[in-house]
Each structure stands twice: as C-alpha cells, then as structure tokens.
Amino acid sequence: MNNEAMGSTTAIIVAIFFLVTGSTCLKLVRLNVPPYKMRGELAILECLYELEGDNLYAVKWYKENEEFYRYVPKSEPKILSYRVEGIKVDHSLSDSKQVALRGVNLKSSGIYRCEVSAEAPSFASAHREARMEVIFLPSHGPHIAGSGKQYYMIGDEINLNCTSAKSYPASVLHWFINDQQVSDTEGLVRYPHVVHTHGLITTILGLRTTVAPQHFIGGSMKLKCVASLSPVLWQGEGESIVQSMSPLLDNREAMLLVKGEAIRNMITVPLLVITILLAFLRS
Ligand SMILES: *[C@@H]1O[C@H](CO)[C@@H](O)[C@H](O)[C@H]1NC(C)=O
C-alpha cells in the first residue's frame, strides 16, 4: 500500500468514527421501566434522552417488538397509539419523554423498548429495552386439607396438602411443625404447579410424615403452612434496571408475605392432646 492510499484509508476510518461516535448526536441517557407492577396499577415508563443539537424526529415505544406508541412533534396529532394486547396508553399522561399505561394486567408483562430518532442531517437513533413484570397477589391465604382424620396417635401418618390461592408468579409454600421448617427429607411432597387460564398459578405442597413423640411439646403439635410471593428477579440488560431493583425488592418482600393463624381442631387421644393449628397467611 502506498502512502496516498494509506492516507485516504485513514481519512475514511476517521470519518466513520465521527459518524458513529459524533459528539453532536442524540443520546439515550436512561430508560426507566418499573421492574414490577401490581395488577391494575398505572405504570409510567420513562425514556430520557438528550438531543445534543439534533432535531427530534420521533420517539417510539415497543412491547416485544410491537409498536404501541409514537410521538412525532412535527405531525398532527403528535401522539399516536396502537392496539397491542395488555396495553392501554393514557394519552393525557404521555408525552415525548414518557408513556403511561393504565390498569396493567398479566398480559402487560414483557420487554419494553424505547427508540429515539433524529431528523436530517444526522438521522441518528438510539434505543434501549427493559423488562416489566406484572404481579397478581393471592386473594386469600393458603389452605390445609387432608385425610379428614379425627384422631392422631404416635405412629399415625399425617397426610395433608397445603394449597395456595392463585397468584402470579407462583407462591412459595413452606410447612412448619412447631415453628420448625420441615425439610424435603422430612416428608414434603412436591406436586406440579397448576396453571390456570390467564397464567395464574396454584401451588400445592404435601406433608407426609409419621407422628412421633418428639412432635409433642406440652402435649400438642402445631402444623403451619406459610405462603410467600416474591417477584422473579429478571436480569435486565441495562444497569439502571439492576440499580432500581434492590430497594423495591425489600419493600415487596414485606408487603407480599401473607400471614395469620387460626385454630381448627383439638383432638383428644388417650394420654395425649394434639392440637393442630392451621395457619392462614393473610396480608
Ligand atoms: C394432595 O394433592 C394432590 C394433587 O392434587 C392429590 O393427588 C392428593 O391426593 C392430595 N392429597 C391429600 C392428602 O389431599
């Protein structure tokens, strides 16, 4: 390669470099998509950008690659929204930097993308995406059902099921005997999740164990089932998602734990009084 050819190659590379990284083109600074929303809530999705001297052509929002919102300042009307399942845009709360979704439901869960583009001469564009998950809280606590056995003696088999109310994501169940969590090796029976239409999930956890003397404290035994719901941790692509996730998650954990207790049976056996406490978790 001669000097002249090398010089022009360098010039082209420099030109491409400036086209790609040019300091005067628009930048997408931040995408704020709430990682979790309760069913029925209003969700505000923000797309923050800097034009850096460019003229805005359009801001477009997509859910799973389907466009549902467009803001074009030079057209009339400026705002257009398109029919996409699970999306109801509130035009009065939406503009060039945010889009508001009314009454989110399970179908609103998914990956949202904001795409910003500039007019000539730069025609620059930028996009980012993040996931939003809609949570459906159980309407009541879990319930315990079993063999309907009235009398328990040492050596008898306990065979009970704890069933959660419908929720999304799935509730996690734990059995406790006298406030001690029962482990898998001590008689838990795991059943597959029941998935209902609309994606709601019922979880069932069985307890199958033999009544032993150490189960009785002061002549009684307490059985409890606890259901909890924590949002799935999605690993987002933008750092902003991970940052906003931690404080939110703590909050959810406390809120989503459904709790409570009620006495159901008092069973008398010769020389032995067994109390079975059924625990219902209520928020
Ligand atoms: C527990 O639930 C499973 C799955 O629905 C069922 O097959 C089983 O018979 C139930 N056991 C009891 C003790 O109710």
Side-chain angles (χ1 to χ4, degrees), residues 193-226:
H193 287 162
V194 181
V195 181
H196 305 270
T197 43
H198 305 308
L200 295 180
I201 301 166
T202 297
T203 314
I204 305 169
L205 183 64
L207 176 68
R208 200 165 192 163
T209 190
T210 305
V211 180
Q214 70 269 20
H215 285 145
F216 297 103
I217 296 171
S220 70
M221 175 178 176
K222 194 168 89 176
L223 298 177
K224 188 167 79 172
C225 173
V226 173

Side-chain angles (χ1 to χ4, degrees), residues 141-161:
H143 74 271
I144 296 173
S147 50
K149 197 168 159 59
Q150 293 299 306
Y151 301 97
Y152 282 93
M153 286 193 284
I154 286 168
D156 277 356
E157 191 181 64
I158 294 175
N159 189 7
L160 299 168
N161 273 353

